[in-house]
């Protein structure tokens, strides 16, 4: 389903209108419950650490664990087959089904068999395949694909399911309520399971020591599929193998909580097949169950299909630690609005879907939806195995940019050269990735550049050539940058308590110069001596376009410029939260450990720093207080770093009455909202925030936000002009 | 390790918040208690405890009995106090289907087999899995689905669970 530019926007618009509302309601419900469920777990972080360690170890020792598992399974009387790819796995399952002369296979939901297209393969042989998970059955009846890792029919409302049942079965008394729909499905499926010849399930975890598989479910259909027919085939990716039954409990405690917010799902089946249960024939009115035989066949099909190569890939390996809880989909604002049919590939969807698709399907498939991840990092703290999901998306984007070869040259170096051969990288990516150069050019030629950029022909060209949506206001470059302004002024601090370097991010330096000036005035008023040296941009912009080598180049330069200041005992103050997040997270990938630690230890977000100064006795009266009513929106990465509270506390201590948005995402996330394909989605996501800030309680409040993209988005969404919080507290 | 009274009350509270009834009984009173709990027709698998089933329960049923039954009674090897879960071993006399097919499931667990938490339960399960390839279900409340637009109990499995806790 490769799409041209206009088609993509149209497809997003269609999904937002049809599937979006149900997905948004359901995923937000999961999130709420997750927060409660996780808060109720004393040792949550400890469990995440354990889970991560077990996965790291298991993937590391995978070949050896698979051999141990083979022995366990065979000792129990089952068979283990290691399949290279989809065709190999399907061939094996088809043979088992043929050996059983099976007319019908009943299945319990399994993403791995979706990946293999196993149903198609079996149906081609004339076998009747029935999905028994209620959501998955709906998807099968509608001839759709699952739109979520754990809730396949999340995109459908109750009404649309009722319509589907009515159309498909034309029943006398069509079911309508959730209760009626459920019993309708249970009755039909119950009959089908009863007479089935083979049951196919997935497996959430398989333990090498005992050959036990864990199936995490709620409905009871997995148990029925595994135990009612006398032949059970379990299909699972090789990454599901963990060393021992002792390792199960951290995963079980985390899985349901992270996904749907339940403590445990109704049933966790721990099957060490072939199970002892007698085979069932419901027409048998003679033999007591204890005298029926339990002659059962069990086949475990472990699927490689690209996973062993992912294991060798330093960047994609982490994807194999995923336990498919769906948290990263639920917590993603873009996913909430388009769902897995937009934000997904052939099989896998959501944040980690890119990594999976890149690994099992290939870069082309991953490329189709990789752009939906804006790198906002909202999903990061909720991943049970602590996978850096945005990083995986960045890596995949980088590989997509370069074409197939991971070792290709970084063709985009310096300079804005949209007329040159783009070497595979989209022009829009080059433009946004090079925002620093653009900003320099813009400031040097302001106000002409602003005027020019705003003319109709220029906007038309921007949209046509690089996909900048004409409906979005462009930043206005300032002729005098913050660094220039600072160079020409004299410090007002004679006996400084501390010395700092204010990091002049591109936006503060070229566009939002006022917030930079406010930061300088605030720090000086609190007795801090400030320097504003010209430092290169953090590399966030190229990074978010997947230009990793360019971003790394920035990291080296930034550290080079700041190291001397850190050595001199100066703290580094950052205004833009996404830049601080860059120092805090991504720089670990680019710089030596000692360097990154020094930088991290000495860098602070501006309001965090002000908070610290005030806590340490600086004089509140030096700052501007007020009893104004304020509506505050924290930046997504600021929240991931746990820095939201500092701003709120400082504002409140100065007398402001603060209301905070609990909508985490402004919908903009860097350059996302500028892009023609994503403009409408960006506004749709942003609507939730606009709504919160236009209620009777918030409608008249002064709007403040920490991040550049949030400020721009709020500017587009509201008639009030938002400001950075530092501008409220800075002395005039 | 003896089960403490705190563990038992945690178990009872957890069951309560899952909407699962719990009746505590002794070996002597077991049959009468069960008579009150079950919906007819009731089937049960032989219990590994020193108790007698009431007349009303068909013990060691046929598959056809099972299909007609409204209640299924099975032993639970463990209770998990903080989650209100019970571990249901799969046995050759059909504990798995008996716990799954009827609309009401009655697991019988000894008070002394209630453990505080999941790691402890998994520890015990791990031994059984390596000693005798045991299969077991960690069941927490009735079967449920939210796939049809609202939470509905009894999707494929029982819609109600009533735990009988036995003091031996
Ligand atoms: S990446 Fe993490 S959060 Fe996302 S589905 Fe996998 S385990 Fe869950």
């Amino acid at each position: 389903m490769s799409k041209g530019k206009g088609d993509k926007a149209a497809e997003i618009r269609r999904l937002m209108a049809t599937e979006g509302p149900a997905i948004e309601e359901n995923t937000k419900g999961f999130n709420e419950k997750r927060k409660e469920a996780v808060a109720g777990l004393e040792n949550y972080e400890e469990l995440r650490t354990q889970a991560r360690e077990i996965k790291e170890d298991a993937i590391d020792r995978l070949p050896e664990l698979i051999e141990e598992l083979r022995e366990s399974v065979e000792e129990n009387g089952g068979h283990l087959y290691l399949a290279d790819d989809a065709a190999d796995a399907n061939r094996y399952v088809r043979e088992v089904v043929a050996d059983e002369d099976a007319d019908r296979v009943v299945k319990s939901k399994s993403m791995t068999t979706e990946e293999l297209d196993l149903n198609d393969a079996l149906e081609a042989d004339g076998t009747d395949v029935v999905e028994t998970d209620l959501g998955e059955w709906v998807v099968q009846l509608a001839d759709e694909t699952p739109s979520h890792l754990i809730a396949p029919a999340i995109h459908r409302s109750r009404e649309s399911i009722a319509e589907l049942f009515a159309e498909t079965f034309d029943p006398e008394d069509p079911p309508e309520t959730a209760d009626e729909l459920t019993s309708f499905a249970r009755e039909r499926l119950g009959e089908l399971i009863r007479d089935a010849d083979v049951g196919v399930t997935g497996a959430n975890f398989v333990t090498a020591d005992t050959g036990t598989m864990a199936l995490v479910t709620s409905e009871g259909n997995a148990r029925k599929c595994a135990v009612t027919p006398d032949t059970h085939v379990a299909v699972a990716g090789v990454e599901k193998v963990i060393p021992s039954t002792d390792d199960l409990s951290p995963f079980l405690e985390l899985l349901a909580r992270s996904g749907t917010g339940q403590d445990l799902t109704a049933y966790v089946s721990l099957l060490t097949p072939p199970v002892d249960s007698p085979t069932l024939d419901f027409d048998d009115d003679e033999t007591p169950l204890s005298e029926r035989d339990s002659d059962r066949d069990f086949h475990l099909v472990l699927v490689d299909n690209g996973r062993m190569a992912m294991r060798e890939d330093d960047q994609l390996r982490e994807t194999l630690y995923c336990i498919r809880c769906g948290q990263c989909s639920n917590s993603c604002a873009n996913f909430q609005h388009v769902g897995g049919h937009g934000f997904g590939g052939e099989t896998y969807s959501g944040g980690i879907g890119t990594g999976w698709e890149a690994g099992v399907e290939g870069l082309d498939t991953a490329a189709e939806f990789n752009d939906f991840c804006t790198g906002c990092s909202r999903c990061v703290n909720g991943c049970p195995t602590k996978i850096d999901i945005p990083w995986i998306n960045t890596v995949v984007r980088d590989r997509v940019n370069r074409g197939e070869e991971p070792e290709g040259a970084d063709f985009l170096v310096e300079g804005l050269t949209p007329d040159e051969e783009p070497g595979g990288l989209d022009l829009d990516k080059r433009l946004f990735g090079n925002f620093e150069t653009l900003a320099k050019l813009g400031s040097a030629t302001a106000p002409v550049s602003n005027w020019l950029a705003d003319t109709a022909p220029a906007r038309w060209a921007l949209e046509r050539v690089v996909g900048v949506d004409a409906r979005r206001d462009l930043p206005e470059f300032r002729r005098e940058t913050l660094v220039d302004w600072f160079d020409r002024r004299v410090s007002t601090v004679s006996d400084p308590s501390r010395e700092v370097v204010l990091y002049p991010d591109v936006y503060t330096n070229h566009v939002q110069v006022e917030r930079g000036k406010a930061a300088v005035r605030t720090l000086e008023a609190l007795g801090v001596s400030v320097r504003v040296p010209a430092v290169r941009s953090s590399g966030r912009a190229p990074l978010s376009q997947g230009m990793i080598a360019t971003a790394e180049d920035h990291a080296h330069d930034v550290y080079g410029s700041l190291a001397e200041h850190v050595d001199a005992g100066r703290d580094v103050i950052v205004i833009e939260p996404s830049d601080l997040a860059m120092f805090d997270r991504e720089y670990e990938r680019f710089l030596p450990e000692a360097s990154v630690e020094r930088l991290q230890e000495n860098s602070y977000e501006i309001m965090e720093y002000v908070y610290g100064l005030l806590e340490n006795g600086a004089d509140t009266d030096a700052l501007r207080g007020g009893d104004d009513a304020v509506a505050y929106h924290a930046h997504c990465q600021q929240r991931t770093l746990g820095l939201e509270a500092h701003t709120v506390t400082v504002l409140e201590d100065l007398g402001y009455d603060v209301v905070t948005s609990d909508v985490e995402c402004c919908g903009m996330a860097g350059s996302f909202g500028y892009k023609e394909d994503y403009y409408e989605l960006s506004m749709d996501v942003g609507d939730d925030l606009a709504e919160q800030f236009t209620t009777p309680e918030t409608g008249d409040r002064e709007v403040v936000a920490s991040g550049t993209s949030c400020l721009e988005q709020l500017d587009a969404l509201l008639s009030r002009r938002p400001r950075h919080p530092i501008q409220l507290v800075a002395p005039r | 390790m003896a089960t403490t009274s705190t563990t038992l009350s945690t178990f009872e509270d957890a069951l309560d918040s899952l909407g699962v009834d719990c009746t505590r009984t002794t070996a002597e009173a077991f049959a009468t208690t069960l008579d009150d709990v079950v919906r007819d027709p009731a089937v049960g698998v032989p219990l590994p405890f020193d108790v007698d089933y009431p007349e009303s329960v068909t013990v060691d049923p046929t598959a056809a009995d099972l299909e007609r039954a409204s209640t299924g009674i099975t032993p639970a090897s463990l209770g998990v106090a903080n989650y209100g879960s019970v571990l249901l071993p799969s046995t050759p006399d059909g504990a798995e289907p008996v716990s799954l097919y009827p609309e009401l499931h009655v697991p019988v667990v000894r008070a002394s087999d209630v453990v505080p938490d999941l790691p402890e339960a998994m520890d015990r399960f791990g031994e059984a899995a390596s000693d005798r390839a045991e299969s077991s279900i960690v069941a927490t409340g009735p079967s449920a689905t939210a796939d049809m637009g609202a939470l509905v109990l009894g999707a494929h499995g029982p819609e109600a669970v009533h735990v009988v806790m036995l003091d031996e």
Side-chain angles (χ1 to χ4, degrees):
Chain A
M1 46 158 218
S2 151
K3 297 177 206 90
K5 287 237 161 197
D7 296 352
K8 186 159 198 178
E11 176 64 1
I12 292 173
R13 196 178 308 127
R14 186 186 70 77
L15 290 171
M16 284 194 306
T18 51
E19 307 194 344
I23 293 160
E24 186 173 5
E25 195 188 319
N26 290 322
T27 48
K28 284 185 172 170
F30 287 157
N31 279 334
E32 283 309 308
K33 286 199 270 164
R34 170 176 64 90
K35 279 180 210 148
E36 282 171 36
V38 157
L41 203 59
E42 260 170 54
N43 55 345
Y44 175 56
E45 288 305 325
E46 210 178 292
L47 288 170
R48 288 178 77 212
T49 308
Q50 271 179 29
R52 170 88 190 184
E53 284 169 358
I54 296 167
K55 270 292 182 187
E56 282 180 5
D57 170 55
I59 297 300
D60 189 35
R61 296 196 288 128
L62 193 52
E64 144 198 354
L65 291 180
I66 292 175
E67 279 323 300
E68 188 186 342
L69 175 64
R70 181 189 296 283
E71 278 170 32
S72 310
V73 169
E74 285 171 2
E75 204 174 297
N76 296 337
H79 310 271
L80 184 145
Y81 185 70
L82 186 58
D84 290 338
D85 55 20
D88 191 17
N90 289 345
R91 184 191 50 76
Y92 184 85
V93 180
R94 286 166 58 197
E95 276 172 16
V96 172
V97 169
D99 284 351
E100 290 297 315
D101 272 333
D103 298 323
R104 187 185 306 124
V105 168
V106 280
K107 282 183 70 203
S108 155
K109 180 185 176 287
S110 139
M111 285 308 285
T112 310
T113 59
E114 299 276 345
E115 173 189 324
L116 307 174
D117 288 325
L118 175 66
N119 292 13
D120 290 349
L122 291 173
E123 279 162 5
D125 292 344
T127 312
D128 182 23
V129 183
V130 181
E131 295 289 348
T132 63
D133 174 274
L134 264 41
E136 189 74 19
W137 190 51
V138 165
V139 166
Q140 188 185 31
L141 293 177
D143 200 14
E144 293 174 344
T145 54
S147 63
H148 188 282
L149 290 176
I150 54 166
I154 196 172
H155 58 284
R156 280 195 167 255
S157 62
R158 178 175 55 76
E159 292 76 11
S160 85
I161 296 173
E163 260 169 50
L164 177 72
F165 283 6
E167 269 169 34
T168 317
F169 299 103
D170 196 16
E172 288 211 346
D173 190 11
E176 276 171 25
T177 64
D179 268 318
E180 288 165 4
L181 291 165
T182 304
S183 39
F184 182 84
R186 180 182 48 211
E187 261 163 53
R188 300 228 155 214
L189 290 170
E191 278 171 33
L192 297 170
I193 295 172
R194 233 183 97 124
D195 305 331
D197 306 295
V198 175
V200 173
T201 69
N204 293 80
F205 306 95
V206 188
T207 65
D209 62 342
T210 56
T212 302
M213 48 189 256
L215 287 171
V216 179
T217 64
S218 279
E219 294 181 1
N221 59 313
R223 297 170 63 188
K224 281 189 170 162
C225 290
V227 174
T228 311
D230 59 10
T231 302
H232 174 198
V233 182
V235 182
V238 285
E239 83 284 1
K240 304 279 177 68
V241 181
I242 57 173
S244 81
T245 49
D246 288 347
D247 300 321
L248 279 169
S249 70
F251 293 111
L252 299 181
E253 302 214 50
L254 289 169
L255 181 55
R257 278 199 170 81
S258 308
T260 53
Q262 293 158 283
D263 289 349
L264 279 184
T265 60
Y267 301 121
V268 177
S269 302
L270 303 167
L271 305 180
T272 314
V275 287
D276 294 335
S277 296
T279 55
L280 292 178
D281 170 3
F282 287 106
D283 297 325
D284 181 350
D285 218 345
E286 301 293 318
T287 332
L289 292 178
S290 65
E291 285 166 31
R292 286 192 58 89
D293 68 23
S294 64
D295 191 10
R296 292 174 167 278
D297 265 346
F298 172 68
H299 302 263
L300 172 60
V301 182
L302 286 183
V303 184
D304 175 348
N305 207 28
R307 288 165 175 79
M308 285 303 193
M310 290 166 82
R311 182 173 165 270
E312 303 290 327
D313 182 322
D314 284 345
Q315 307 298 337
L316 285 188
R317 183 182 306 121
E318 263 194 288
T319 310
L320 300 173
Y321 306 161
C322 171
I323 59 170
R324 311 241 179 105
C325 69
Q327 179 277 144
C328 52
S329 300
N330 299 339
S331 62
C332 172
N334 282 339
F335 188 95
Q336 287 172 1
H337 288 252
V338 295
H341 288 150
F343 194 159
E346 307 248 321
T347 311
Y348 300 101
S349 59
I352 198 64
T354 297
W356 281 118
E357 290 286 323
V360 303
E361 293 285 349
L363 278 184
D364 285 352
T365 317
E368 279 172 20
F369 65 104
N370 170 271
D371 276 350
F372 280 102
C373 172
T374 62
C376 76
S377 76
R378 277 159 44 114
C379 56
V380 165
N381 293 352
C383 174
T385 51
K386 301 201 215 176
I387 298 173
D388 192 342
I389 301 149
W391 176 257
I392 290 176
N393 285 306
T394 306
V395 167
V396 171
R397 196 165 303 160
D398 184 77
R399 292 182 186 178
V400 169
N401 290 345
R402 289 162 191 272
E404 296 287 336
E405 313 146 58
E407 296 305 320
D410 194 8
F411 40 78
L412 197 128
V413 199
E414 280 299 89
L416 240 185
T417 50
D419 50 351
E420 272 181 22
E421 177 59 50
L425 182 61
D426 291 350
L427 284 174
D428 59 342
K429 296 210 161 125
R430 286 156 63 95
L431 177 80
F432 293 113
N434 267 308
F435 189 70
E436 181 174 34
T437 315
L438 184 70
K440 275 189 198 148
L441 202 71
S443 279
T445 56
V448 176
S449 57
N450 294 323
W451 171 79
L452 194 67
D454 239 8
T455 59
R459 289 313 304 253
W460 181 85
L462 274 173
E463 184 162 301
R464 286 302 297 273
V465 182
V466 290
V468 174
D469 198 287
R471 290 164 286 188
R472 172 67 73 176
D473 285 340
L474 294 177
E476 250 180 63
F477 297 113
R478 299 279 296 272
R479 181 94 203 192
E480 186 186 53
T481 64
L482 179 69
V483 173
D484 293 344
W485 169 81
F486 188 83
D487 277 350
R488 289 191 299 94
R489 70 190 280 286
V490 180
S491 170
T492 57
V493 184
S494 48
D495 179 21
S497 59
R498 307 184 80 100
E499 284 187 73
V500 304
V501 180
L502 185 69
Y503 175 71
D505 63 275
V506 187
Y507 249 81
T508 308
N509 199 26
H510 293 275
V511 183
Q512 303 254 351
V513 179
E514 289 312 319
R515 74 177 185 188
K517 293 179 182 176
V520 173
R521 289 202 304 273
T522 304
L523 291 165
E524 290 190 346
L526 297 174
V528 175
S529 154
V530 183
R531 297 176 189 224
V532 188
V535 184
R536 208 173 174 198
S537 72
S538 70
R540 167 66 66 191
L543 189 85
S544 68
Q545 304 305 323
M547 294 149 62
I548 294 180
T550 308
E552 174 163 1
D553 201 38
H554 283 240
H556 294 302
D557 284 354
V558 168
Y559 185 70
S561 307
L562 293 176
E564 177 196 339
H565 295 287
V566 173
D567 288 342
R570 291 169 205 135
D571 296 322
V572 178
I573 310 302
V574 183
I575 296 180
E576 177 56 39
S578 63
D579 285 334
L580 188 69
M582 187 88 181
F583 295 175
D584 213 73
R585 303 172 47 82
E586 283 80 8
Y587 274 21
E588 287 177 7
R589 318 240 177 206
F590 302 141
L591 299 174
E593 208 179 305
S595 309
V596 93
E597 270 172 23
R598 286 173 63 67
L599 186 60
Q600 286 170 354
E601 267 168 32
N602 296 290
S603 311
Y604 303 87
E605 194 246 357
I606 176 76
M607 295 300 281
E608 177 195 15
Y609 201 68
V610 170
Y611 169 86
L613 291 169
L614 295 176
E615 283 291 292
N616 284 303
D619 184 8
T620 324
D621 291 342
L623 301 184
R624 183 147 49 103
D627 44 18
D628 298 1
V630 171
Y632 174 58
H633 174 70
H635 182 273
C636 46
Q637 280 158 340
Q638 194 183 10
R639 297 194 206 212
T640 305
L641 297 176
L643 291 173
E644 181 188 8
H646 301 93
T647 305
V648 176
T649 310
V650 169
L651 289 174
E652 284 179 348
D653 285 354
L654 290 171
Y656 291 98
D657 168 30
V658 187
V659 166
T660 23
S661 67
D662 58 25
V663 176
E664 282 190 34
C665 186
C666 70
M668 174 79 167
S671 60
F672 193 72
Y674 281 107
K675 295 190 178 180
E676 195 192 348
D677 282 342
Y678 303 112
Y679 173 81
E680 286 169 50
L681 174 58
S682 156
M683 294 307 278
D684 199 45
V685 173
D687 261 354
D688 296 347
L689 178 55
E691 252 172 53
Q692 281 209 336
F693 281 178
T694 46
T695 63
E697 142 99 81
T698 54
D700 295 327
R701 290 173 174 255
E702 157 132 41
V703 176
V704 285
S706 302
T708 300
S709 37
C710 324
L711 286 164
E712 300 217 325
Q713 178 80 322
L714 281 161
D715 202 18
L717 292 166
L718 304 171
S719 52
R720 287 161 287 166
R721 207 175 168 91
R723 291 198 286 167
H724 189 282
I726 198 72
Q727 290 171 275
L728 262 60
V729 309
R732 280 181 224 275
Chain B
M1 199 182 70
T3 301
T4 65
S5 60
T6 345
T7 305
L8 288 184
S9 62
T10 309
F11 185 54
E12 282 165 325
D13 290 348
L15 288 170
D16 191 47
S17 60
L18 291 167
V20 170
D21 291 322
C22 177
T23 306
R24 212 168 156 173
T25 190
T26 56
E28 298 75 54
F30 181 77
T32 350
T33 306
L34 216 58
D35 238 350
D36 289 344
V37 166
V38 300
R39 302 177 194 167
D40 292 331
V43 297
V45 297
L47 296 170
F49 314 125
D50 195 10
V51 290
D52 294 319
Y53 267 120
E55 293 283 307
S56 59
V57 176
T58 309
V59 183
D60 195 11
T62 64
D65 289 332
L66 172 60
E67 185 164 44
R68 287 186 292 264
S70 296
T71 305
I73 304 148
T74 70
S77 57
L78 292 172
V80 183
N82 62 341
Y83 291 138
S85 313
V86 284
L87 263 75
L88 311 172
S90 304
T91 55
D93 47 23
E96 165 70 349
V98 171
S99 70
L100 183 62
Y101 277 92
E103 65 189 39
L104 171 66
H105 173 224
V106 180
V108 182
V109 62
R110 281 191 303 199
S112 55
D113 287 332
V114 179
V115 298
D117 53 25
L118 194 67
E120 167 101 32
M122 293 310 296
D123 202 31
R124 303 247 197 132
F125 168 77
E127 283 166 30
S130 50
D131 289 354
R132 49 179 188 277
E134 180 166 296
S135 295
S136 218
I137 309 296
V138 185
T140 311
S143 144
T145 185
D147 283 344
M148 297 291 149
L151 185 73
V152 180
L153 299 181
H156 282 280
E159 61 173 43
V161 178
H162 191 137
V163 170
V164 170
M165 195 154 70
L166 182 66
D167 286 298
E168 266 187 332

